[in-house]
Amino acid sequence: MATPSGKAATPNPQVPKRSLPRDASSEVPSKRKNSNPTSTLPRPSGLFVEGSIVRIAMENFLTYDICEVSPGPHLNMIIGANGTGKSSIVCAICLGLAGKPAFMGRADKVGFFVKRGCSKGLVEIELFRTSGNLIITREIDVIKNQSFWFINKKPVTQKIVEEQVAALNIQVGNLCQFLPQDKVGEFAKLSKIELLEATEKSIGPPEMHRYHCELKNFREKEKQLETSCKEKTEYLEKMTQRNERYKQDVERFYERKRHLDLIEMLEAKRPWVEYENVRQEYEGVKLIRDRVKEEVRKLKEGQIPMTRRIEEIERLRRTLEVRIKEKATDIKEASQKCKQRQDVIERKDRYVKELQQALTVKQNEEHDRQKRISNTRKMIEDLQNELRTAENCENLQPQIDAITNDLRRVQEEKALCEGEIIDKQREKEMLEKQKRGVSDHIIRFDNLMNQKEDKLRQRYRDTYDAVLWLRNNKDRFKQRVCEPIMLTINMKDNKNAKYVENHISSNDLRAFVFESQEDMEIFLREVRDNKKLRVNAVIAPKISYADKAPSRSLNELKQYGFFSYLRELFDAPDPVMSYLCCQYHIHEVPVGTERTRERIERVIQETRLKQIYTAEEKYVLKTSFYSNKVISSNTSLKVAQFLTVTVDLEQRRHLEEQLKEINRKLEAVDSGLVILRDTNRRLELKDNELRLKKKELLERKTKKRQLEQKISSKLASIRLMEQDTCNLEEEERKASTKIKEINVQKAKLVTELTGLVKICTSLHIQKVDLILQNTTVISEKNKLEADYMASSSQLRVTEQQFIELDDNRQRLLQKCKELMRRARQVCNLSADEAVPQEFQTAFQDLPNTLDEIDALLTEERSRASCFTGLNPSVVEEYTKREIEIQQLTEELKEKKVELDEYRENISQVKERWLNPLKELVEKINEKFSNFFSSMQCAGEVDLHTENEEDYDKYGIRIRVKFRSSTQLHELTPHHQSGGERSVSTMLYLMALQELNRCPFRVVDEINQGMDPINERRVFEMVVNTACKENTSQYFFITPKLLQNLPYSEKMTVLFVYNGPHMLEPNRWNLKAFQRRRRRITFTQPSQ
């Protein structure tokens, strides 16, 4: 039973409970606002099976404030209109028994099941148990999204609750036991394997599913062991074959080893023989080295007198070289003085030449001056003759004035024309700038439109292809055809797109809008029939609804937080807007804010609107047919996908018209510019002609004045040239005097130079004498040095011989040591250890010379090399492989024993599992077939598998036939209709009912898709099956029932009511209602 709900503006639901047709007074549960979960009315415990539900209590849960339901032990019919809270009771059972929220298909978080506006909720389930009822309480915290569990008022963990529930064989996650409303369709989607597993858990013995799991595990282990045995057997065969192949190689290896041992002994003796040969060579080299050392000593003693004489001659040579340097210095000083005198004489000669050149220049200048004066006088005569012949120019001024006036007029016209050209060019630049701006704006619109079209193409390719076809064939339609609504709608603000997309269905968003039925038929015939494209099309109303006023002014709704109607949030073509107003009433649906959601109860009660939007939710309001009250339901808004991109098509058309107007103006401006430029060129030509004429007249007028100025200028230049005279005789006399003085100075300098030359010659003679003496000394020194070098050369040769002999001795000594070390190393002997007797004995049988040893070594190595392809590790691998073969044989034997044990276990477990399972399936099939036969239909259930050994592939197959003309078909989500699947599901659950070992079963609104005939038949089967003795508890939830259905004494009917006149729970008294009804019945005849 339910208390009044606190849900805003909704009727108050209650769940009165009565049993038909027994005395209702005995079935009325306790009804208190704050009920104690442990205090329930006495129940006939003998009728309940272990784990049945005897009480369900809810507080702040979904639509309920406080509600307590007391179901009966057999069939419980929960009946009520949609939205009253029937499925809330199912959710309470699931969540109260530790079920997962996602299993209900409503929400994935448990906090969503708490009533809106409340921070906590509570569900309490009381289960029948012979040892004492079990009370499970679940408190739900919305803020933390957590649950707190209690068993018999004591806090426990969820795991303990799950263990207690499982101990009573309650499986709220098993669709064979618990089938909520949102999971009815999923039952038919269960695979055969999943259905078998659910059936085993639901009605099979506890060990049946465990045996099945063990069989699957055993089978998996068996497969692994079979694979392992097969692999080991193959590997063992390969190992044995490989060792057989290597046996001959091992024999050849030992023969090769004998040759290698002899080679090793020869190589051990060879260093000793080599050492003895080198030691004898060392002794011979040492004797020769001592003799050469004595020769070196004698040669060094003979070089001492020669060295002393060379040193004396070297001292004399150095003295002579010092004196030669002193004479060279004196000669250099005398030469410098001579050079100075010569430089002075050369300067005097240059000065005389400069005087002579200066006199020549003055003579040439005077000659040129006389020539220029003569030429100038001749030019003056020519100018005077030209001046006399010049005509009178006073009559040219009127012609000049007339041309000047014409020229001024032409220039004014030209300036006016150029001004107009500049204005036209500015106008053209301004228009081109406007054109670029408009074109860029259109491109931006096209980019946005392309984004919308890309979304359409990705989501609805057929619709996109139809749009392309429409754009190419618009001329085939008589009236206007609008592209899909999602392309023509333009949001004024993108953030409001979610309201429009949540209000208009996706089918209509991608629908084409037509104004003519004929146009729509043409379009659908071409696109849908011929091109096979899946598209939607609608017709706009003949009378436009686009401008229809809302029934209520927006100003009246602003107090509730509404800021607009849906129609005002976007722009669209008139046919589209008219269709949306007519079909979706967008002019009547207001959009609010978070403030609206906070006042939602008041909004619903006062406005009586049918649909409203808040910031994040959509509210749909319906008026009850019986109580005239408003029932509201709300859903969260989905995120907008298509309308977030805004393109104003009207503005784009306006921009295109504006672009055409700009182009027209540009053409007009270009034509005007061509005309103005032609006019300007004509004026330019006329201006040039007038200027040329004026220039000619002015030149004629100014020619006389120019001639007079030239004559005056020439006369002035003659006067200047005549004043610039020069006295050549005086200049010649001065130059001759200066040259004589210079020649006297030159004679004195030549005398001084002659004396210095004589001194320099004497010094050169003395220097030559010293050089001759030095040459004689050097010659003697060279002879002594040659003798010394010859002696030194012999000494160096002897010393080099000594060094080579000493190096050879050292080398041989080191070689002896190295050979001794190597010989001892080969024999593994230390430095002080003597050669063992075994080596000496072995060495006696071997050759004593290196040549013989090398020859024998070559022979033995050739023999050993004949054994090619042998690896030193062949014997080791052969031995290891023999051991591995033995170990592998033992392992294979153990694996086969283990495999036999697994097969024995599988055989035993299979017998314990498969036989009871076949019996169980046979019983299910018998009842299932009987149920279908009673409905004049056919159905069977069998155990299906493709391979008896694949235990994970076993499944239950349901096959049904609803018409006599068809064959049995497997129950699938696609082959049968929704009603046929519902009937099949219900009958299968009925077949499980009597076999079921679970304490209760819940089926929510499974009869919704059935036709009346099948619904009546199924209901009769449910009543007959669920009301038998020793059957489990059954919950059957439905919003409606057919008339004149059969009922049973053991049925319990729970009615869920809501309305404005519901009583408080503490005022509910079924006996008082019955007495009042009797009084009304008795008084009616008298009236």
Side-chain angles (χ1 to χ4, degrees), residues 1 14 16-17 24 28 31 1061-1081:
M1 184 188 67
Q14 281 190 334
K17 171 191 166 216
V28 178
K31 307 169 183 68
H1061 306 298
M1062 297 300 296
L1063 293 177
E1064 294 293 331
N1066 54 7
R1067 295 175 58 191
W1068 180 266
N1069 190 330
L1070 186 58
K1071 291 183 178 179
F1073 296 154
Q1074 290 174 339
R1075 288 195 298 270
R1076 190 178 301 115
R1077 177 60 180 172
R1078 293 190 190 100
R1079 287 199 300 271
I1080 293 173
T1081 303

Side-chain angles (χ1 to χ4, degrees), residues 271-285:
W272 292 102
V273 175
E274 192 175 1
Y275 164 74
E276 183 61 26
N277 293 340
V278 173
R279 188 189 65 76
Q280 292 175 2
E281 185 182 358
Y282 168 77
E283 293 296 335
V285 170

